[in-house]
Amino acid sequence: MEPRTQGFLFDLDGTLVDSVYQHVLAWQDALDATGIELSVWRIHRKVGMSGGLFANALLRETGREVSPELAAELRRRHAEAYAARADRVRPLPGARELLAHLTSVGAPWAIATSGYRESAGPTIELLSVAPDVPVITRDLVERAKPDPDLFLAAAEKLGIDIGDCSVIGDSVWDLLAARRARALGVGVLSGGYGREELERAGAYRVYEDPADILQHLDELGLR
Amino acid sequence: MEPRTQGFLFDLDGTLVDSVYQHVLAWQDALDATGIELSVWRIHRKVGMSGGLFANALLRETGREVSPELAAELRRRHAEAYAARADRVRPLPGARELLAHLTSVGAPWAIATSGYRESAGPTIELLSVAPDVPVITRDLVERAKPDPDLFLAAAEKLGIDIGDCSVIGDSVWDLLAARRARALGVGVLSGGYGREELERAGAYRVYEDPADILQHLDELGLR
Protein backbone atom coordinates (compact mmCIF):
# COMPACT_ATOMS: atom_id res chain seq x y z
CA MET A 1 0.00 0.00 0.00
CA GLU A 2 1.18 3.51 -0.86
CA PRO A 3 1.45 5.71 2.23
CA ARG A 4 -1.27 8.36 2.07
CA THR A 5 -0.09 11.91 1.49
CA GLN A 6 -1.28 14.46 4.02
CA GLY A 7 -2.27 17.95 2.88
CA PHE A 8 -2.37 21.23 4.79
CA LEU A 9 -5.02 23.84 4.03
CA PHE A 10 -4.39 27.21 5.64
CA ASP A 11 -6.70 30.08 6.35
CA LEU A 12 -4.97 33.42 5.71
CA ASP A 13 -5.97 36.31 8.03
CA GLY A 14 -5.14 35.57 11.67
CA THR A 15 -3.58 32.23 10.73
CA LEU A 16 -0.60 33.13 8.53
CA VAL A 17 -0.79 36.93 8.67
CA ASP A 18 -1.37 39.20 11.68
CA SER A 19 -4.25 41.15 10.15
CA VAL A 20 -7.40 40.34 12.13
CA TYR A 21 -7.49 43.41 14.38
CA GLN A 22 -6.95 45.73 11.40
CA HIS A 23 -9.81 43.97 9.57
CA VAL A 24 -12.02 44.31 12.65
CA LEU A 25 -11.52 48.07 12.98
CA ALA A 26 -11.83 48.50 9.20
CA TRP A 27 -15.26 46.83 9.46
CA GLN A 28 -16.14 49.18 12.30
CA ASP A 29 -15.23 52.12 10.04
CA ALA A 30 -17.37 50.73 7.22
CA LEU A 31 -20.37 50.03 9.49
CA ASP A 32 -20.13 53.41 11.23
CA ALA A 33 -20.00 55.19 7.87
CA THR A 34 -23.30 53.59 6.90
CA GLY A 35 -24.92 54.31 10.25
CA ILE A 36 -24.74 50.78 11.68
CA GLU A 37 -23.53 50.64 15.29
CA LEU A 38 -22.11 47.28 16.30
CA SER A 39 -19.80 46.55 19.25
CA VAL A 40 -16.26 45.75 18.14
CA TRP A 41 -16.14 42.31 19.80
CA ARG A 42 -19.21 41.30 17.80
CA ILE A 43 -17.42 42.29 14.61
CA HIS A 44 -14.33 40.31 15.72
CA ARG A 45 -16.45 37.19 16.21
CA LYS A 46 -17.76 37.49 12.62
CA VAL A 47 -14.52 38.11 10.71
CA GLY A 48 -13.94 35.30 8.21
CA MET A 49 -17.64 34.46 7.95
CA SER A 50 -19.25 34.75 4.51
CA GLY A 51 -20.66 38.16 3.57
CA GLY A 52 -24.16 36.74 3.18
CA LEU A 53 -24.18 35.30 6.69
CA PHE A 54 -22.63 38.53 8.05
CA ALA A 55 -25.53 40.43 6.46
CA ASN A 56 -28.04 38.05 8.11
CA ALA A 57 -26.31 38.52 11.46
CA LEU A 58 -26.42 42.30 11.07
CA LEU A 59 -30.16 42.13 10.40
CA ARG A 60 -30.69 39.96 13.47
CA GLU A 61 -28.46 42.00 15.80
CA THR A 62 -29.16 45.55 14.64
CA GLY A 63 -32.51 45.23 12.87
CA ARG A 64 -30.98 46.78 9.75
CA GLU A 65 -31.79 45.07 6.47
CA VAL A 66 -28.68 44.75 4.32
CA SER A 67 -29.66 45.27 0.67
CA PRO A 68 -27.26 44.13 -2.08
CA GLU A 69 -26.36 47.81 -2.59
CA LEU A 70 -25.56 48.30 1.10
CA ALA A 71 -23.56 45.06 1.12
CA ALA A 72 -21.50 46.31 -1.83
CA GLU A 73 -20.96 49.67 -0.13
CA LEU A 74 -19.85 47.98 3.12
CA ARG A 75 -17.39 45.82 1.18
CA ARG A 76 -15.97 48.83 -0.64
CA ARG A 77 -15.64 50.92 2.52
CA HIS A 78 -14.08 48.02 4.40
CA ALA A 79 -11.51 47.49 1.63
CA GLU A 80 -10.59 51.19 1.73
CA ALA A 81 -10.35 51.31 5.51
CA TYR A 82 -8.29 48.12 5.58
CA ALA A 83 -5.92 49.38 2.87
CA ALA A 84 -5.25 52.46 5.03
CA ARG A 85 -4.15 50.14 7.88
CA ALA A 86 -2.38 47.46 5.84
CA ASP A 87 1.10 48.89 6.29
CA ARG A 88 1.04 47.60 9.89
CA VAL A 89 0.22 44.04 8.84
CA ARG A 90 3.00 41.45 9.10
CA PRO A 91 3.30 37.70 8.63
CA LEU A 92 2.75 35.89 11.94
CA PRO A 93 5.84 34.48 13.66
CA GLY A 94 6.93 31.27 11.97
CA ALA A 95 4.50 31.56 9.03
CA ARG A 96 7.13 31.75 6.29
CA GLU A 97 9.26 29.12 8.05
CA LEU A 98 6.36 26.68 8.46
CA LEU A 99 5.35 26.96 4.80
CA ALA A 100 8.98 26.60 3.67
CA HIS A 101 9.36 23.53 5.87
CA LEU A 102 6.26 21.87 4.44
CA THR A 103 7.55 22.54 0.92
CA SER A 104 11.00 21.16 1.80
CA VAL A 105 9.60 17.88 3.13
CA GLY A 106 7.24 17.52 0.17
CA ALA A 107 4.02 18.06 2.15
CA PRO A 108 1.47 19.70 -0.14
CA TRP A 109 -0.22 22.82 1.15
CA ALA A 110 -2.64 25.49 -0.02
CA ILE A 111 -4.28 28.70 1.17
CA ALA A 112 -8.08 29.10 1.36
CA THR A 113 -9.49 32.46 2.41
CA SER A 114 -12.96 34.05 2.59
CA GLY A 115 -11.32 37.23 1.23
CA TYR A 116 -11.57 38.30 -2.39
CA ARG A 117 -8.51 38.02 -4.63
CA GLU A 118 -8.25 41.81 -4.82
CA SER A 119 -7.88 42.28 -1.06
CA ALA A 120 -6.12 38.98 -0.28
CA GLY A 121 -3.48 39.47 -2.99
CA PRO A 122 -1.25 41.98 -1.16
CA THR A 123 -1.54 39.93 2.05
CA ILE A 124 -0.39 36.77 0.28
CA GLU A 125 2.56 38.69 -1.18
CA LEU A 126 3.84 39.20 2.38
CA LEU A 127 4.34 35.43 2.55
CA SER A 128 6.31 35.10 -0.72
CA VAL A 129 4.13 32.17 -1.82
CA ALA A 130 5.48 30.29 -4.88
CA PRO A 131 3.25 30.56 -7.99
CA ASP A 132 2.47 26.83 -8.00
CA VAL A 133 0.83 26.92 -4.55
CA PRO A 134 -2.98 26.81 -4.83
CA VAL A 135 -4.62 29.93 -3.42
CA ILE A 136 -8.41 29.69 -3.24
CA THR A 137 -10.14 33.04 -2.73
CA ARG A 138 -13.80 33.95 -2.38
CA ASP A 139 -14.13 34.66 -6.11
CA LEU A 140 -13.45 31.02 -6.99
CA VAL A 141 -16.23 29.27 -5.07
CA GLU A 142 -19.98 29.48 -4.67
CA ARG A 143 -20.05 29.93 -0.90
CA ALA A 144 -17.49 31.16 1.64
CA LYS A 145 -16.87 29.78 5.16
CA PRO A 146 -18.37 28.20 7.16
CA ASP A 147 -19.49 26.35 4.03
CA PRO A 148 -16.84 23.79 3.10
CA ASP A 149 -16.39 24.97 -0.53
CA LEU A 150 -13.09 26.85 -0.07
CA PHE A 151 -11.35 23.94 1.62
CA LEU A 152 -12.85 21.37 -0.76
CA ALA A 153 -11.58 23.37 -3.73
CA ALA A 154 -8.12 23.67 -2.16
CA ALA A 155 -7.89 19.90 -1.54
CA GLU A 156 -9.01 19.23 -5.08
CA LYS A 157 -6.31 21.54 -6.47
CA LEU A 158 -3.75 19.63 -4.42
CA GLY A 159 -5.20 16.34 -5.68
CA ILE A 160 -5.53 15.04 -2.14
CA ASP A 161 -8.62 13.54 -0.53
CA ILE A 162 -10.12 16.11 1.87
CA GLY A 163 -10.16 13.41 4.56
CA ASP A 164 -6.36 13.40 4.43
CA CYS A 165 -6.13 17.17 4.91
CA SER A 166 -5.65 19.31 8.00
CA VAL A 167 -7.41 22.67 7.97
CA ILE A 168 -5.56 25.27 10.02
CA GLY A 169 -7.51 28.34 11.05
CA ASP A 170 -7.99 30.95 13.79
CA SER A 171 -11.78 31.22 13.83
CA VAL A 172 -14.75 29.03 14.57
CA TRP A 173 -15.82 29.50 10.92
CA ASP A 174 -12.67 27.70 9.77
CA LEU A 175 -13.33 24.86 12.18
CA LEU A 176 -16.99 24.55 11.24
CA ALA A 177 -16.03 24.54 7.54
CA ALA A 178 -13.39 21.89 8.31
CA ARG A 179 -16.00 19.66 9.95
CA ARG A 180 -18.45 20.12 7.12
CA ALA A 181 -15.65 19.26 4.67
CA ARG A 182 -14.66 16.17 6.74
CA ALA A 183 -11.13 17.49 7.25
CA LEU A 184 -9.15 17.60 10.50
CA GLY A 185 -9.55 21.03 12.10
CA VAL A 186 -6.57 22.63 13.87
CA GLY A 187 -6.82 25.97 15.66
CA VAL A 188 -4.42 28.85 16.21
CA LEU A 189 -4.78 31.56 18.86
CA SER A 190 -3.20 34.21 16.65
CA GLY A 191 -6.55 35.57 15.46
CA GLY A 192 -7.57 36.48 19.00
CA TYR A 193 -10.16 33.77 19.71
CA GLY A 194 -9.73 31.85 22.96
CA ARG A 195 -8.36 28.31 23.12
CA GLU A 196 -11.54 26.85 24.56
CA GLU A 197 -13.73 28.46 21.89
CA LEU A 198 -11.67 26.75 19.20
CA GLU A 199 -11.64 23.44 21.05
CA ARG A 200 -15.40 23.52 21.47
CA ALA A 201 -15.75 24.28 17.76
CA GLY A 202 -13.99 20.98 17.11
CA ALA A 203 -10.27 21.73 16.89
CA TYR A 204 -8.20 18.56 17.29
CA ARG A 205 -5.37 20.71 18.66
CA VAL A 206 -4.89 24.43 19.28
CA TYR A 207 -1.49 26.08 18.80
CA GLU A 208 -0.41 29.63 19.51
CA ASP A 209 0.66 30.54 15.98
CA PRO A 210 2.52 29.09 12.97
CA ALA A 211 5.81 29.04 14.90
CA ASP A 212 4.16 26.83 17.51
CA ILE A 213 2.76 24.50 14.83
CA LEU A 214 6.24 24.15 13.31
CA GLN A 215 7.50 23.00 16.73
CA HIS A 216 4.78 20.35 16.95
CA LEU A 217 4.26 19.03 13.42
CA ASP A 218 4.70 15.47 14.68
CA GLU A 219 1.47 15.92 16.70
CA LEU A 220 -0.35 16.44 13.39
CA GLY A 221 1.06 13.18 12.13
CA LEU A 222 3.48 14.63 9.58
CA ARG A 223 6.34 12.18 9.11
CA MET B 1 -30.51 41.73 61.17
CA GLU B 2 -29.93 44.50 58.59
CA PRO B 3 -29.95 43.19 55.02
CA ARG B 4 -26.44 43.42 53.62
CA THR B 5 -25.90 45.96 50.87
CA GLN B 6 -24.40 44.64 47.68
CA GLY B 7 -21.85 46.75 45.77
CA PHE B 8 -20.85 46.69 42.10
CA LEU B 9 -17.28 47.41 41.04
CA PHE B 10 -16.83 47.94 37.30
CA ASP B 11 -13.77 47.72 35.15
CA LEU B 12 -13.82 50.46 32.47
CA ASP B 13 -12.27 49.53 29.08
CA GLY B 14 -14.10 46.65 27.43
CA THR B 15 -16.63 46.51 30.27
CA LEU B 16 -18.43 49.86 30.16
CA VAL B 17 -16.76 51.39 27.11
CA ASP B 18 -15.98 49.81 23.71
CA SER B 19 -12.30 50.76 23.67
CA VAL B 20 -10.27 47.54 23.88
CA TYR B 21 -9.44 47.13 20.18
CA GLN B 22 -8.33 50.74 19.92
CA HIS B 23 -6.11 50.24 22.98
CA VAL B 24 -4.68 47.07 21.45
CA LEU B 25 -3.69 48.72 18.18
CA ALA B 26 -2.39 51.79 20.05
CA TRP B 27 -0.08 49.45 21.98
CA GLN B 28 1.04 47.90 18.70
CA ASP B 29 1.91 51.38 17.44
CA ALA B 30 3.87 52.12 20.63
CA LEU B 31 5.75 48.80 20.56
CA ASP B 32 6.52 49.05 16.83
CA ALA B 33 7.87 52.57 17.29
CA THR B 34 10.35 51.29 19.86
CA GLY B 35 11.36 48.30 17.74
CA ILE B 36 9.45 45.63 19.68
CA GLU B 37 7.51 43.19 17.48
CA LEU B 38 4.67 41.43 19.26
CA SER B 39 1.67 39.71 17.65
CA VAL B 40 -1.55 41.65 18.13
CA TRP B 41 -3.43 38.82 19.89
CA ARG B 42 -0.66 38.69 22.51
CA ILE B 43 -1.14 42.40 23.13
CA HIS B 44 -4.92 41.88 23.39
CA ARG B 45 -4.42 39.21 26.05
CA LYS B 46 -2.33 41.66 28.15
CA VAL B 47 -4.53 44.76 28.04
CA GLY B 48 -5.63 45.72 31.55
CA MET B 49 -2.62 44.04 33.18
CA SER B 50 -0.32 46.25 35.27
CA GLY B 51 2.51 47.96 33.40
CA GLY B 52 5.12 46.22 35.52
CA LEU B 53 3.79 42.77 34.68
CA PHE B 54 3.42 43.79 31.01
CA ALA B 55 7.12 44.73 31.04
CA ASN B 56 8.02 41.34 32.54
CA ALA B 57 5.93 39.59 29.89
CA LEU B 58 7.64 41.57 27.12
CA LEU B 59 11.03 40.52 28.45
CA ARG B 60 9.97 36.88 28.56
CA GLU B 61 8.30 36.86 25.13
CA THR B 62 10.61 39.12 23.13
CA GLY B 63 13.85 39.03 25.12
CA ARG B 64 13.79 42.82 25.30
CA GLU B 65 14.54 44.31 28.72
CA VAL B 66 12.12 47.15 29.51
CA SER B 67 13.99 49.86 31.38
CA PRO B 68 12.01 52.49 33.33
CA GLU B 69 12.83 54.95 30.49
CA LEU B 70 11.49 52.56 27.83
CA ALA B 71 8.40 51.88 29.96
CA ALA B 72 7.74 55.62 30.19
CA GLU B 73 8.25 56.02 26.43
CA LEU B 74 5.86 53.14 25.70
CA ARG B 75 3.23 54.67 27.97
CA ARG B 76 3.59 58.06 26.29
CA ARG B 77 3.44 56.64 22.76
CA HIS B 78 0.45 54.46 23.66
CA ALA B 79 -1.41 57.47 25.08
CA GLU B 80 -0.76 59.44 21.88
CA ALA B 81 -1.75 56.59 19.58
CA TYR B 82 -4.89 55.92 21.62
CA ALA B 83 -5.89 59.60 21.63
CA ALA B 84 -5.72 59.55 17.82
CA ARG B 85 -8.27 56.70 17.79
CA ALA B 86 -10.45 57.80 20.71
CA ASP B 87 -13.07 59.50 18.54
CA ARG B 88 -14.34 56.04 17.54
CA VAL B 89 -14.81 54.92 21.14
CA ARG B 90 -18.40 54.65 22.42
CA PRO B 91 -20.07 53.43 25.59
CA LEU B 92 -21.03 49.77 25.28
CA PRO B 93 -24.73 49.02 24.73
CA GLY B 94 -26.62 49.34 28.01
CA ALA B 95 -23.70 50.81 29.99
CA ARG B 96 -25.36 54.14 30.80
CA GLU B 97 -28.70 52.41 31.41
CA LEU B 98 -27.19 49.80 33.76
CA LEU B 99 -25.39 52.43 35.85
CA ALA B 100 -28.50 54.62 35.97
CA HIS B 101 -30.58 51.65 37.05
CA LEU B 102 -28.18 50.76 39.88
CA THR B 103 -28.28 54.36 41.06
CA SER B 104 -32.07 54.44 40.90
CA VAL B 105 -32.47 51.32 43.05
CA GLY B 106 -29.87 52.54 45.55
CA ALA B 107 -27.23 49.93 44.70
CA PRO B 108 -23.80 51.46 45.28
CA TRP B 109 -21.32 51.16 42.41
CA ALA B 110 -17.83 52.33 41.52
CA ILE B 111 -15.34 52.19 38.64
CA ALA B 112 -11.85 50.69 39.08
CA THR B 113 -9.46 50.82 36.11
CA SER B 114 -5.78 50.00 35.52
CA GLY B 115 -5.63 53.19 33.41
CA TYR B 116 -4.20 56.44 34.69
CA ARG B 117 -6.52 59.32 35.50
CA GLU B 118 -5.19 61.30 32.54
CA SER B 119 -6.15 58.68 29.95
CA ALA B 120 -9.22 57.28 31.73
CA GLY B 121 -10.75 60.72 32.30
CA PRO B 122 -12.13 61.31 28.77
CA THR B 123 -13.42 57.71 28.64
CA ILE B 124 -15.32 58.14 31.89
CA GLU B 125 -16.83 61.37 30.55
CA LEU B 126 -18.55 59.30 27.85
CA LEU B 127 -20.56 57.65 30.63
CA SER B 128 -21.72 60.89 32.33
CA VAL B 129 -20.75 59.56 35.75
CA ALA B 130 -22.01 61.66 38.67
CA PRO B 131 -19.25 63.35 40.72
CA ASP B 132 -20.06 61.35 43.87
CA VAL B 133 -19.34 57.98 42.19
CA PRO B 134 -15.93 56.61 43.29
CA VAL B 135 -13.53 56.26 40.36
CA ILE B 136 -10.30 54.47 41.28
CA THR B 137 -7.52 54.90 38.72
CA ARG B 138 -3.98 53.53 38.60
CA ASP B 139 -2.57 56.68 40.23
CA LEU B 140 -4.46 56.01 43.46
CA VAL B 141 -3.11 52.58 44.38
CA GLU B 142 0.21 50.82 44.82
CA ARG B 143 -0.38 48.02 42.32
CA ALA B 144 -2.71 47.61 39.35
CA LYS B 145 -4.59 44.43 38.30
CA PRO B 146 -4.34 41.52 38.74
CA ASP B 147 -3.42 42.72 42.25
CA PRO B 148 -6.60 43.34 44.22
CA ASP B 149 -5.72 46.94 45.23
CA LEU B 150 -7.98 48.77 42.77
CA PHE B 151 -11.08 46.81 43.73
CA LEU B 152 -10.28 46.90 47.45
CA ALA B 153 -9.93 50.70 47.27
CA ALA B 154 -13.22 50.98 45.37
CA ALA B 155 -15.09 48.87 47.96
CA GLU B 156 -13.59 50.92 50.77
CA LYS B 157 -14.74 54.16 49.11
CA LEU B 158 -18.25 52.70 48.92
CA GLY B 159 -18.02 51.63 52.57
CA ILE B 160 -19.02 48.08 51.64
CA ASP B 161 -17.25 44.87 52.60
CA ILE B 162 -15.41 43.54 49.52
CA GLY B 163 -17.06 40.16 50.15
CA ASP B 164 -20.40 41.79 49.40
CA CYS B 165 -19.18 43.21 46.08
CA SER B 166 -19.43 41.93 42.51
CA VAL B 167 -16.50 42.78 40.25
CA ILE B 168 -17.55 43.10 36.61
CA GLY B 169 -14.80 42.90 34.01
CA ASP B 170 -13.92 41.71 30.51
CA SER B 171 -10.45 40.26 31.12
CA VAL B 172 -8.86 37.46 33.09
CA TRP B 173 -6.93 40.16 35.03
CA ASP B 174 -10.18 41.52 36.39
CA LEU B 175 -11.29 38.05 37.43
CA LEU B 176 -7.95 37.17 39.02
CA ALA B 177 -7.99 40.48 40.90
CA ALA B 178 -11.58 39.73 41.99
CA ARG B 179 -10.53 36.36 43.39
CA ARG B 180 -7.55 37.82 45.18
CA ALA B 181 -9.83 40.51 46.63
CA ARG B 182 -12.42 37.84 47.69
CA ALA B 183 -15.12 39.49 45.58
CA LEU B 184 -17.56 37.76 43.22
CA GLY B 185 -16.18 37.89 39.67
CA VAL B 186 -18.57 38.43 36.76
CA GLY B 187 -17.37 38.42 33.14
CA VAL B 188 -18.48 40.27 30.01
CA LEU B 189 -17.64 39.26 26.44
CA SER B 190 -17.47 42.86 25.24
CA GLY B 191 -13.69 43.06 25.58
CA GLY B 192 -13.21 40.25 23.06
CA TYR B 193 -12.16 37.40 25.39
CA GLY B 194 -14.02 34.13 24.96
CA ARG B 195 -16.71 32.96 27.37
CA GLU B 196 -14.79 29.84 28.42
CA GLU B 197 -11.60 31.83 29.15
CA LEU B 198 -13.54 34.00 31.56
CA GLU B 199 -15.33 31.04 33.14
CA ARG B 200 -12.04 29.24 33.66
CA ALA B 201 -10.62 32.37 35.24
CA GLY B 202 -13.36 32.11 37.85
CA ALA B 203 -16.32 34.12 36.53
CA TYR B 204 -19.51 33.21 38.37
CA ARG B 205 -21.46 34.25 35.27
CA VAL B 206 -20.51 35.65 31.87
CA TYR B 207 -22.76 38.15 30.09
CA GLU B 208 -22.44 39.63 26.63
CA ASP B 209 -22.24 43.28 27.68
CA PRO B 210 -23.82 45.77 30.13
CA ALA B 211 -27.19 45.54 28.34
CA ASP B 212 -27.19 41.79 28.97
CA ILE B 213 -26.29 42.31 32.66
CA LEU B 214 -29.18 44.75 33.03
CA GLN B 215 -31.53 42.04 31.71
CA HIS B 216 -30.24 39.54 34.30
CA LEU B 217 -29.54 41.53 37.46
CA ASP B 218 -31.63 39.07 39.47
CA GLU B 219 -29.03 36.39 38.69
CA LEU B 220 -26.48 38.52 40.55
CA GLY B 221 -28.78 38.58 43.56
CA LEU B 222 -29.77 42.24 43.30
CA ARG B 223 -33.19 42.66 44.88
Side-chain angles (χ1 to χ4, degrees), chain A residues 21-22 25, chain B residues 21-29 40 85:
Chain A
Y21 292 74
Q22 282 82 5
L25 289 185
Chain B
Y21 291 75
Q22 282 82 4
H23 272 300
V24 168
L25 289 184
W27 277 116
Q28 188 192 28
D29 283 355
V40 185
R85 292 180 162 87

Side-chain angles (χ1 to χ4, degrees), chain A residues 126-139:
Chain A
L126 292 174
L127 296 168
S128 324
V129 172
D132 59 333
V133 170
V135 176
I136 313 295
T137 51
R138 179 69 188 86
D139 329 59

